[in-house]
C-alpha cells in the first residue's frame, strides 16, 4: 500500500487549491470589513450582527429552511419507491431506467428551469389543459412552482443514492428472513429499509444542500419577489458588491448545513447499532 | 437589464458557428489584420440579445478578423469580472457604470482619428454628463424607462392623473410587473414622491423605501427582468415597468399594449462602448466602434433589438415617416424634459439601496 500513498499528493494539492483556499477566503471576508488607507481591512463581527438583528433576514432564513425541508421530504417519498422499483427490476431494464433518471441532467439546469416557466405560466400548456376542465389557476410564482422546480431538479440525486444502497445490499439476509417466516412487509421494515438508510442519508445531503442555497430556481419560478437566502447572497455579491456580508451569510448557511448533517449522521449510527447488529 | 439568458445562450452557440465559418473566408481579405491591428482577435463583452444577427459576422468578413463575444446580464456582473482582471477589448456598460470605471482608471481614451463616424451621433446622446467630450465612450443604445399598459384594461386617465402612483392603485392589484432592480424601482418611488432619483438624503430614501414596501404589501406585484417582454407580449398582466427598447418590442407584437412616460420624470439612460485600460487589441476595438456607428450596422442593430440607435440618421429614419417603428411611441426617447435625469454613480448609496430592495421584496 505504501507505494500508492504518493499518488494522493496531486489530489491533496488539488483540494487545497480548490476547496481550502476558497473556504478560507469566505471565512476571511465574513469576519472583516473594508478599512481605511492604512489597514485595508478590519476584523469585525458586524456582518453577523447585521444578519441576526434583522427580522427580515431571519424570516428569509426560516422560509429557505422550510422550502429545503419540504423539498427533501418529497424527494424521499417519491424517490424511494422509484429506486426500489428500479433495484428490483430485471438487469437489462435497470440500465434503461437509470438512463431515464439521469437523462434530464444532461441538459443544463437553467434551461430545464426555463422550460418549466413556459409550462407553468398563466397562458402556458398546463393551464391550457386545466382550463378544459375549468380549473385554471395561478401556478407560476407560487410556493408550488418553486418546490416543483427544486424536486424536479434534485430528485435524481436521491433516487441514485437509494438505488445504489439497495443494490449493494446482501440479498441472503432477505432470503434468511423469509426462511425464518417474515412476510414481505416485515422483511422490508426490518431488513431492507434499515439497510438502505445510508443511501437515504446521503440522498438527503445531496438534496437538502442545493435546495437550501439555490437562487435561480426561486428567482425564475417564484419571481423576483420570492426571496430565499440564496438570492440574498447573490444580491450581496453581484448587485450590492458587499462581499463581506455575502460571505457571512454563506458561512451561516454552511454552519446550519453542517449541524443538520451531524444530526442525520447521529440518526444513522443510532439506527444501525440500535437494531441489534443487523450489519455484520 | 433587459435580456434573456436562454436566448443569449443560443445566439452564442450560433455565434460560435459563425466565426468558425469565417475563419476559412479570411484568406480573401486583402490587408492582413495582424499587420494592421497587431492581432486579428477582438474580445467583446456585451449585454445578451443586444446586437443584430449579422453584426458580428459582417464585421468579421469585412475586416478579416475573429470576434469572441461574451455576454453579461447586469452592469454589476460585468464590473465584478473586470475587477477580477479579465481582459476585453470592448465593453458596453451603462452610464453610471462608465462613471465608476472611469473613477477606477479602468478605461483608456478612444482614438477619434479612427472613429470618423462619431459625427453621426444623435443629439440626445451628445455631451452626456459622465463623458461630455466622448473622450472614453461612444453611445451604443439609449432610451428611457416607462410604463407599458393594456389599453383595454387600464384607464389612460388613471395613468395621467396618478403617474407612477398607478402602480399602487389597488384597482390593478395582481396585474402588475415590477422591474427587479433597485435602481429602477427606487427611481420610480423617488420620482413619484417628487424627489431627484440621485438623492442621498436619508429621509427621502426612507420615504421611497416605504413607498415600495407599501406597493409590495398591497399590490401582489411580480418582480421580473427580461421575462417582462414575453409576459406583456402574451398579455399576462396589465401594467409593467419597462425599458423603452423592450417596450418597442412588446408594442410591436401586441397591439393592445401602449407606452406611457409619466410626467414626474424618468431615467434617461445610455449604454456606451468603452475600451478597458487592459485591452489587448485597442486598435481593432476602435475600428469596431467606428463600424457600429455606420448607418447599416446601426440600423440592423436597432431593427433587431428595438432599442434606440445612437446614430442620428438611423434614429430619424426608423422613427420617421414610413420607418419601421413610425407608429411606435416607445422608440423615440423624450429629450429635453427637465424632470428627466441621468443616473450618477454613488457606490455607498447603491449598496444601501440594494439592501433596502431585498428587504422590500422579502417583506410580506
Amino acid at each position: 500500500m505504501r507505494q500508492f500513498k504518493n499518488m494522493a499528493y496531486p489530489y491533496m494539492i488539488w483540494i487545497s487549491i480548490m476547496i481550502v483556499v476558497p473556504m478560507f477566503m469566505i471565512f476571511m471576508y465574513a469576519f472583516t470589513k473594508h478599512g481605511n488607507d492604512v489597514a485595508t481591512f478590519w476584523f469585525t463581527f458586524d456582518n453577523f450582527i447585521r444578519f441576526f438583528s434583522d427580522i427580515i433576514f431571519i424570516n428569509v432564513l426560516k422560509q429557505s429552511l422550510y422550502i429545503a425541508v419540504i423539498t427533501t421530504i418529497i424527494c424521499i417519498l417519491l424517490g424511494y419507491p422509484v429506486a426500489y422499483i428500479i433495484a428490483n427490476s430485471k438487469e437489462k431494464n435497470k440500465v434503461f431506467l437509470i438512463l431515464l433518471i439521469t437523462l434530464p441532467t444532461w441538459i443544463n439546469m437553467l434551461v430545464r428551469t426555463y422550460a418549466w416557466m413556459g409550462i407553468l405560466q398563466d397562458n402556458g400548456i398546463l393551464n391550457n389543459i386545466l382550463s378544459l376542465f375549468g380549473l385554471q389557476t395561478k401556478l407560476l410564482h407560487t410556493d408550488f412552482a418553486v418546490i416543483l422546480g427544486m424536486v424536479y431538479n434534485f430528485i435524481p440525486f436521491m433516487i441514485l443514492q437509494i438505488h445504489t444502497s439497495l443494490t449493494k445490499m446482501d440479498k441472503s439476509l432477505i432470503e434468511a428472513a423469509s426462511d425464518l417466516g417474515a412476510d414481505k412487509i416485515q422483511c422490508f421494515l426490518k431488513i431492507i429499509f434499515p439497510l438502505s438508510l445510508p443511501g437515504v442519508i446521503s440522498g438527503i445531503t445531496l438534496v437538502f444542500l442545493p435546495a437550501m442555497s439555490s437562487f435561480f430556481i426561486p428567482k425564475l419560478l417564484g419571481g423576483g419577489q420570492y426571496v430565499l437566502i440564496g438570492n440574498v447572497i447573490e444580491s450581496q455579491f453581484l448587485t450590492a458588491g458587499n462581499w463581506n456580508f455575502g460571505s457571512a451569510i454563506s458561512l451561516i448557511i454552511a454552519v446550519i448545513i453542517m449541524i443538520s448533517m451531524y444530526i442525520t449522521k447521529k440518526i444513522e449510527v443510532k439506527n444501525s447499532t440500535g437494531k441489534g447488529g443487523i450489519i455484520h | 437589464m433587459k435580456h434573456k439568458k436562454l436566448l443569449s445562450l443560443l445566439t452564442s452557440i450560433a455565434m460560435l458557428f459563425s466565426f468558425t465559418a469565417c475563419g476559412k473566408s479570411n484568406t480573401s481579405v486583402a490587408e492582413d489584420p495582424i499587420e494592421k491591428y497587431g492581432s486579428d482577435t477582438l474580445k467583446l463583452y456585451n449585454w445578451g440579445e443586444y446586437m443584430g444577427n449579422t453584426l458580428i459576422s459582417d464585421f468579421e468578413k469585412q475586416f478579416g478578423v475573429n470576434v469572441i463575444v461574451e455576454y453579461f446580464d447586469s452592469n454589476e456582473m460585468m464590473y465584478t469580472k473586470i475587477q477580477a482582471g479579465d481582459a476585453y477589448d470592448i465593453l458596453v456598460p451603462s452610464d453610471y457604470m462608465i462613471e465608476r470605471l472611469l473613477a477606477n482608471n479602468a478605461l483608456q481614451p478612444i482614438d477619434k482619428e479612427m472613429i470618423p463616424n462619431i459625427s453621426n451621433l444623435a443629439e440626445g446622446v451628445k455631451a452626456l454628463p459622465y463623458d461630455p467630450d466622448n473622450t472614453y465612450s461612444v453611445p451604443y443604445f439609449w432610451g428611457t424607462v416607462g410604463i407599458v399598459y393594456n389599453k383595454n384594461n387600464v384607464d389612460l386617465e388613471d395613468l395621467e392623473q396618478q403617474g407612477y402612483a398607478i402602480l399602487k392603485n389597488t384597482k390593478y392589484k395582481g396585474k402588475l410587473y415590477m422591474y427587479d432592480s433597485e435602481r429602477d424601482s427606487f427611481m420610480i418611488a423617488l420620482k413619484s414622491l417628487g424627489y431627484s432619483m440621485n438623492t442621498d438624503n436619508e429621509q427621502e430614501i426612507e420615504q421611497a423605501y416605504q413607498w415600495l414596501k407599501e406597493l409590495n404589501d398591497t399590490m401582489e406585484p411580480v418582480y421580473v427582468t427580461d421575462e417582462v417582454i414575453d409576459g406583456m407580449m402574451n398579455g399576462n398582466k396589465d401594467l409593467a415597468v419597462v425599458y423603452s427598447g423592450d417596450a418597442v418590442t412588446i408594442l410591436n407584437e401586441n397591439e393592445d399594449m401602449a407606452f406611457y412616460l409619466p410626467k414626474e420624470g424618468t431615467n434617461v439612460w445610455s449604454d456606451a462602448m468603452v475600451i478597458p485600460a487592459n485591452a489587448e487589441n485597442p486598435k481593432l476595438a476602435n475600428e469596431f466602434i467606428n463600424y457600429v456607428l455606420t448607418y447599416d450596422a446601426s440600423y440592423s442593430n436597432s431593427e433587431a433589438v428595438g432599442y434606440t440607435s445612437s446614430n442620428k440618421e438611423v434614429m430619424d429614419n426608423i422613427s420617421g415617416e414610413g420607418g419601421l417603428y413610425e407608429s411606435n411611441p416607445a422608440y423615440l426617447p423624450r429629450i429635453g424634459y427637465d424632470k428627466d435625469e441621468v443616473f450618477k454613480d454613488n457606490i455607498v448609496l447603491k449598496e444601501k439601496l440594494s439592501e433596502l430592495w431585498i428587504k422590500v421584496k422579502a417583506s410580506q
Side-chain angles (χ1 to χ4, degrees), chain A residues 50 54 123 224-225 238 240, chain B residues 76 223 234 236 355 359 361:
Chain A
R50 190 169 150 200
D54 200 324
N123 308 327
Q225 73 279 23
L238 290 182
Chain B
E76 286 69 26
Y223 299 99
N234 294 329
N236 289 349
E355 185 180 331
K359 285 190 183 176
K361 292 194 292 176

Side-chain angles (χ1 to χ4, degrees), chain B residues 12-65:
Chain B
S12 64
I13 293 168
M15 217 66 90
L16 207 73
F17 281 113
S18 73
F19 74 70
T20 45
C22 282
K24 284 166 199 156
S25 61
N26 282 352
T27 45
S28 62
V29 175
E31 228 167 339
D32 184 10
I34 297 186
E35 235 164 71
K36 196 169 171 195
Y37 307 109
S39 153
D40 64 350
T41 307
L42 181 77
K43 280 183 85 179
L44 170 65
Y45 199 22
N46 198 353
W47 297 91
E49 265 199 286
Y50 219 39
M51 290 183 285
N53 296 331
T54 57
L55 180 79
I56 297 296
S57 55
D58 286 352
F59 178 75
E60 285 176 326
K61 258 179 231 160
Q62 197 173 329
F63 293 89
V65 293

Side-chain angles (χ1 to χ4, degrees), chain A residues 50 54 56-57 60 111 114 117 121-123 141 223-225 227 231-232 235 238-240 242-243, chain B residues 5-6 9 76-77 80 180 182 209 221-223 227 234 236 350-351 354-355 358-359 361-362 364:
Chain A
R50 190 169 150 200
D54 200 324
I56 290 174
F57 290 132
V60 169
V111 178
Y114 260 103
M117 276 173 73
Q121 72 184 8
D122 291 354
N123 308 327
H141 306 135
Q225 73 279 23
V227 178
N231 306 85
V232 180
S235 83
L238 290 182
T239 359
N242 190 341
W243 289 29
Chain B
K5 281 176 208 131
L6 175 62
L9 188 84
E76 286 69 26
M77 183 178 152
T80 308
D180 189 5
E182 67 274 354
Y209 169 60
V222 172
Y223 299 99
E227 303 96 288
N234 294 329
N236 289 349
K350 167 100 193 157
E351 217 173 281
S354 176
E355 185 180 331
I358 203 112
K359 285 190 183 176
K361 292 194 292 176
Q364 254 152 37

Side-chain angles (χ1 to χ4, degrees), chain B residues 78-309:
Chain B
M78 179 221 66
Y79 183 74
T80 308
K81 261 197 126 176
I82 298 301
Q83 285 298 90
D86 283 22
Y88 297 94
D89 299 312
I90 292 192
L91 314 171
V92 192
S94 304
D95 32 43
Y96 74 101
M97 188 51 75
I98 295 176
E99 206 179 321
R100 190 181 308 173
L101 288 165
L102 273 174
N104 290 352
N105 294 322
L107 303 180
Q108 58 174 286
I110 57 167
D111 181 357
K112 281 191 189 158
E113 305 243 308
M114 285 190 74
I115 312 177
N117 288 335
I118 202 163
S119 61
N120 300 343
L121 284 183
E123 286 303 319
V125 285
K126 276 184 184 166
L128 290 166
Y130 57 85
D131 183 22
D133 310 316
N134 292 102
T135 316
Y136 295 92
S137 67
V138 180
Y140 184 85
F141 280 142
W142 60 299
T144 54
V145 178
I147 294 175
V148 167
Y149 65 100
N150 188 325
K151 283 183 281 193
N152 305 328
N153 305 338
V154 176
D155 216 336
L156 182 59
E157 235 170 70
D158 284 349
L159 257 174
E160 279 172 345
Q161 275 170 13
Q162 300 166 5
Y164 289 119
I166 197 173
L167 302 172
K168 285 169 65 178
N169 185 339
T170 44
K171 200 165 137 190
Y172 304 110
K173 182 178 175 179
K175 304 267 180 207
L176 175 67
Y177 280 129
M178 284 290 283
Y179 207 84
D180 189 5
S181 110
E182 67 274 354
R183 254 182 342 127
D184 302 304
S185 300
F186 271 89
M187 181 277 283
I188 286 166
L190 288 164
K191 284 287 179 198
S192 180
L193 292 163
Y195 303 134
S196 160
M197 68 191 201
N198 285 314
T199 183
D200 52 7
N201 178 317
E202 287 198 8
Q203 274 176 342
E204 293 178 1
I205 290 169
E206 176 62 25
Q207 283 180 42
Y209 169 60
Q210 295 300 341
W211 195 97
L212 290 168
K213 209 163 164 260
E214 199 183 311
L215 188 156
N216 181 73
D217 297 346
T218 56
M219 293 295 290
E220 292 177 9
V222 172
Y223 299 99
V224 287
T225 50
D226 295 327
E227 303 96 288
V228 74
I229 306 175
D230 278 341
M232 289 307 275
M233 270 182 345
N234 294 329
N236 289 349
K237 306 270 176 204
D238 291 335
L239 279 167
V241 175
V242 174
Y243 276 84
S244 56
D246 293 341
V248 168
T249 313
I250 294 168
L251 265 56
N252 221 24
E253 298 288 327
N254 187 338
E255 27 182 71
D256 293 335
M257 298 296 168
F259 185 66
Y260 183 78
L261 274 180
K263 294 193 183 71
E264 297 119 300
T266 184
N267 160 25
V268 177
W269 57 267
S270 49
D271 292 344
M273 296 174 277
V274 297
I275 307 176
N278 63 350
E280 282 157 5
N281 198 352
K283 267 192 170 175
L284 191 56
N286 279 298
E287 191 73 77
F288 183 80
I289 292 175
N290 191 46
Y291 177 78
V292 168
L293 287 180
T294 59
Y295 184 87
D296 287 345
S298 186
Y299 189 94
S300 74
N301 255 355
S302 191
E303 178 188 22
V305 185
Y307 277 87
T308 314
S309 170

